[in-house]
Amino acid sequence: HGESSARLLTEFALPVPDAVLPERPRSYPGARRLYRFGIHTGMDLYANDAGGLGFGSPVSAIADGTVHRVDHGYVPIGAVAFDAALAQTEAQHRTDDETFELFMGRQVHLDHGQGIASYYGHLNATAPALRAGGLVLQGATIGTVGVTGTSAGAYGYTDGAHLHYEIWIGDRYLGQGLTLYETMRIWQAIFE
C-alpha cells in the first residue's frame, strides 16, 4: 500500500542468535514445495545459517509484539496421518489450508502492529509463559527448534531440524508476488 517493507521492518531482528540469511533460494518465501504442491511462505534457517542451531535451540521473537497464537497443547502427527496428508495434496494438486496447518506443526504467531505479524513453525516446544494476548519483547524466547509437521517428526527423527518463520504484512507474506531473487534482496535489505 505504498509503504516500504524495509522501512516498516527496520527494527526487526533474526530469530536465532548469530544467524545469517541463507544463500539458498529454496529457503526463501516464494520457493516451490513440489512434495506438497505448494509455495513456501516463510524463511527456513538451518544449522549452517546459525552456528549451533539444531533440535532444541531457542527461538526468539523478531520484534516486540502480542501473542496471537501459541500451541502449548500441540499433538504431533504420526507417519500414517502425514502420509495421508501428502496423498491428499497429490490428489488435489495443492495444499489446502487445513493440510498446510498440519505441515506447519507446533506454532507461535505474534502480532507486531501496523498489520505486521510473524509466524514460527515446526517448533519442538513453546515457552511456557506465553499466553494468547500476552506481550513479548524482541529477543524473548518463544520456543525451540524442532521438526513437528515434517516427515522427520512424523517418523520420529530429528534430522533436518530447522526454524521456519514467516513475516506477513496485511494478508501477504513478505515477498509474495515477487521473484525469488527480488524476495532475497528485500530480506537482505531488512536483516543485513
Side-chain angles (χ1 to χ4, degrees):
H1 303 296
E3 291 284 342
S4 163
S5 298
R7 191 185 65 70
L8 283 174
L9 305 172
T10 55
E11 302 299 320
F12 283 52
L14 292 172
V16 177
D18 302 321
V20 295
L21 292 175
E23 295 180 15
R24 311 174 295 284
R26 71 173 310 277
S27 286
Y28 282 81
R32 295 198 179 278
R33 288 298 182 257
L34 298 177
Y35 74 93
R36 63 174 178 79
F37 295 89
I39 298 293
H40 197 228
T41 54
M43 170 67 68
D44 286 341
L45 293 177
Y46 287 88
N48 55 337
D49 304 317
L53 178 80
F55 188 83
S57 294
V59 175
S60 302
I62 62 174
D64 296 351
T66 302
V67 178
H68 179 72
R69 171 181 171 175
V70 56
D71 292 349
H72 287 308
Y74 176 80
V75 177
I77 61 170
V80 171
F82 184 83
D83 290 344
L86 282 181
Q88 178 180 323
T89 63
E90 185 173 349
Q92 295 175 340
H93 289 280
R94 67 180 186 87
T95 305
D96 61 39
D97 292 343
E98 184 178 327
T99 307
F100 181 80
E101 284 294 311
L102 186 75
F103 290 149
M104 282 287 286
R106 184 187 308 267
Q107 299 176 58
V108 169
H109 295 186
L110 303 178
D111 180 345
H112 303 290
Q114 295 185 308
I116 302 168
S118 59
Y119 305 163
Y120 309 78
H122 305 319
L123 300 173
N124 180 55
T126 51
L130 288 185
R131 296 286 178 262
L135 299 177
V136 294
L137 298 178
Q138 182 181 53
T141 299
I142 59 170
T144 60
V145 172
V147 292
T148 58
T150 69
S151 60
Y155 282 90
Y157 301 105
T158 59
D159 298 358
H162 67 284
L163 174 63
H164 171 93
Y165 73 104
E166 304 178 0
I167 298 174
W168 286 77
I169 301 174
D171 60 353
R172 299 173 66 85
Y173 62 82
L174 183 59
Q176 187 169 343
L178 303 177
T179 69
L180 277 174
Y181 294 103
E182 290 169 330
T183 298
M184 290 173 75
R185 284 196 300 272
I186 287 174
W187 280 73
Q188 289 162 357
I190 295 166
F191 293 107
E192 291 185 344

